[in-house]
Amino acid sequence: MPLSFLRAALLLAASLPFMAAAAPLSLDTALQLAVERSEAARAASAGVLSATEAARTASQLPDPVLRVGVDNLPFTGPDRFSTTRDSMTMKRIGISQEWLSADKRAVREAAANAATARETTMAGVSIAATRLQTALAYADAFYAGQMLTLTTLMEHHAQEELEASRSRLSSAAGSSQEVLSLTGARGSSEDESADARQQQNAARLALQRWVGVMPEALAPIPAEPPFSEEAYVARHPSVVAMQREMGVATQAAALAGTNRKPNWTWEVAYGQRTGYSDMVSFGVSIPLQVSPGERQDRETASKLALVDKAEAELAEARRAATAEYLTLRSDAGRLQQRIERYRASVVIPAAQRTAAATAAYRSNQAPLATLFEARHAEVEVQRKLLTLQRELARSQLQLAFRPLSAEVAP
């Protein structure tokens, strides 16, 4: 018993990779794989790290400056280049420090934090774009597979009906015209299947570009709850990005405004003389703003203009996001109505027609070509229904995945 149990366990373990490979790829798994392998997301994360590291130094004072030199070194005469003969010659070492006020350092830190927030938002924008494109590629691949299933079924029906017509011809119950008609119909069905297979392959390759693997099967697309208009606009990537840009521009203007107050530089030096008293020197350097109205004030005005620009672009981004939401919402609602109406007025009658043609053929009241035409018409109806469902899924996925997550949106 233990040996048989061990064999069963080993067999199960050996079959797990094949079972995993055969399992349908779900939308959630596809989104996770896409985010994990996204180079754009990795680049955005590197930008966040860079901005974070830069922000840590924004509130610090500049590095002190070490100053070493020789003062009053004789250049001519018998004492030239001597550092010990003349009483004025002095070997000096000192240190200077540029001083920034606490207010200035706080403004610099705020500007750096605004830049960090912008990079964090751009990382979220990159992830949201990756998730949205993956979801749309998933929908295209899923419905391409459904379309191939329909065309393959039609091809199978055409083959069966052609074989049946040949049997009827050999028994003198059919006609050569019927055989020729169904032969052409089979060729048409094979071409439609080849076209659907080509489209499915292209859709699967597009999905592979995001998830990194070629999916063998895809799970049905789950219903994702859409955002409200207010939440959609507030979390729209362009809106959130422009909010961060306006924050950066505002802090840059505040930082430019602090240039009205110049930075002082303190300096202390020690001078050594041979045979004479050593010297200590100290002082302060103060930049003189001879024309602040033409320099510092114009720089501040330039930054304030960028704030106005960012504010106008933010308002425009909100309008565009609102229009986009209303369009997608309207498209989704209209597509849902079209699908319901199309299913009731076209799909169900087409299925009823196929059932009636099947019954008539079995009772020898209709030719085989009539049954094929009914089946072909039903497949065409189902293909258009799949097209409508794909468009509806794309609209719903855009409503669900275009906005940023709550962790990134302000």
Side-chain angles (χ1 to χ4, degrees):
M1 183 62 118
L3 182 59
S4 62
F5 179 78
L6 179 61
R7 289 176 178 174
L10 291 175
L11 180 61
L12 178 61
S15 63
L16 280 177
F18 301 98
M19 294 172 62
L25 178 68
S26 67
L27 178 59
D28 289 339
T29 303
L31 296 176
Q32 182 179 359
L33 290 174
V35 172
E36 289 176 353
R37 71 185 302 272
S38 173
E39 294 297 331
R42 187 169 71 90
S45 298
V48 173
L49 179 60
S50 174
T52 302
E53 294 296 331
R56 293 177 179 176
T57 65
S59 61
Q60 301 178 15
L61 290 173
D63 291 333
V65 179
L66 177 65
R67 301 183 182 276
V68 179
V70 177
D71 294 336
N72 302 320
L73 180 69
F75 185 68
T76 59
D79 296 336
R80 64 178 181 175
F81 302 128
S82 174
T83 60
T84 58
R85 296 176 186 175
D86 195 293
S87 62
M88 295 183 63
T89 303
M90 178 174 58
K91 290 175 282 188
R92 172 180 48 81
I93 183 171
I95 191 169
S96 65
Q97 173 67 62
E98 182 182 7
W99 180 260
L100 276 71
S101 66
D103 293 340
K104 270 194 173 183
R105 283 180 283 161
V107 173
R108 289 180 59 182
E109 184 178 13
N113 290 335
T116 302
R118 178 181 59 186
E119 292 298 328
T120 302
T121 297
M122 297 312 297
V125 169
S126 177
I127 292 175
T130 298
R131 286 169 56 85
L132 175 60
Q133 294 302 320
T134 303
L136 294 178
Y138 187 97
D140 290 342
F142 175 80
Y143 283 102
Q146 297 294 308
M147 195 74 73
L148 178 60
T149 300
L150 277 180
T151 56
T152 302
L153 178 62
M154 187 61 196
E155 182 182 357
H156 178 69
H157 287 165
Q159 180 64 33
E160 286 183 343
E161 289 156 2
L162 177 60
E163 293 176 356
S165 68
R166 288 173 176 173
S167 299
R168 287 164 57 88
L169 180 63
S170 61
S171 63
S175 65
S176 59
Q177 183 178 2
E178 183 183 65
V179 174
L180 291 175
S181 175
L182 291 176
T183 300
R186 184 191 64 173
S188 177
S189 299
E190 290 176 347
D191 183 70
E192 289 176 357
S193 294
D195 181 62
R197 193 171 291 107
Q198 179 180 351
Q199 294 182 13
Q200 186 204 30
N201 185 64
R204 291 172 62 195
L205 288 173
L207 180 59
Q208 183 185 14
R209 173 254 185 273
W210 296 104
V211 301
V213 296
M214 178 65 75
E216 296 296 331
L218 299 177
I221 302 175
E224 298 290 342
F227 286 86
S228 64
E229 179 180 346
E230 181 181 359
Y232 184 92
V233 173
R235 298 184 183 183
H236 195 277
S238 61
V239 172
V240 177
M242 286 313 307
Q243 285 178 330
R244 298 305 190 197
E245 288 293 342
M246 191 171 71
V248 171
T250 302
Q251 294 301 328
L255 182 60
T258 62
N259 292 334
R260 261 287 193 168
K261 298 179 180 179
N263 301 331
W264 293 18
T265 300
W266 305 91
E267 181 178 359
V268 177
Y270 180 84
Q272 184 185 53
R273 298 190 300 174
T274 303
Y276 302 94
S277 300
D278 294 341
M279 299 290 186
V280 174
S281 302
F282 58 89
V284 60
S285 300
I286 305 175
L288 299 178
Q289 298 182 352
V290 295
S291 182
E294 295 297 325
R295 295 183 182 178
Q296 287 78 15
D297 290 351
R298 288 187 179 273
E299 181 183 2
T300 303
S302 171
K303 300 300 182 182
L304 290 175
L306 292 180
V307 175
D308 292 340
K309 176 186 176 182
E311 185 176 359
E313 291 177 344
L314 174 59
E316 189 64 28
R318 286 200 176 104
R319 292 178 184 176
T322 301
E324 182 181 83
Y325 175 84
L326 294 177
T327 301
L328 289 172
R329 191 71 174 177
S330 175
D331 289 346
R334 292 181 181 275
L335 284 168
Q336 186 66 50
Q337 294 175 1
R338 287 182 62 188
I339 289 172
E340 294 174 358
R341 183 171 57 250
Y342 189 79
R343 184 180 283 114
S345 61
V346 180
V347 176
I348 295 178
Q352 293 173 347
R353 177 191 174 189
T354 301
T358 302
Y361 169 73
R362 290 177 178 175
S363 60
N364 292 325
Q365 296 179 359
L368 189 59
T370 301
L371 174 59
F372 175 79
E373 290 176 0
R375 285 180 171 177
H376 184 75
E378 184 180 5
V379 170
E380 288 299 321
V381 166
Q382 292 288 345
R383 291 178 66 176
K384 183 174 181 180
L385 178 62
L386 282 177
T387 301
L388 293 174
Q389 291 174 337
R390 180 177 68 89
E391 294 302 320
L392 174 61
R394 288 178 63 89
S395 297
Q396 292 174 338
L397 289 173
Q398 291 183 74
L399 287 171
F401 289 105
R402 190 178 296 279
L404 306 185
S405 63
E407 293 78 10
V408 179

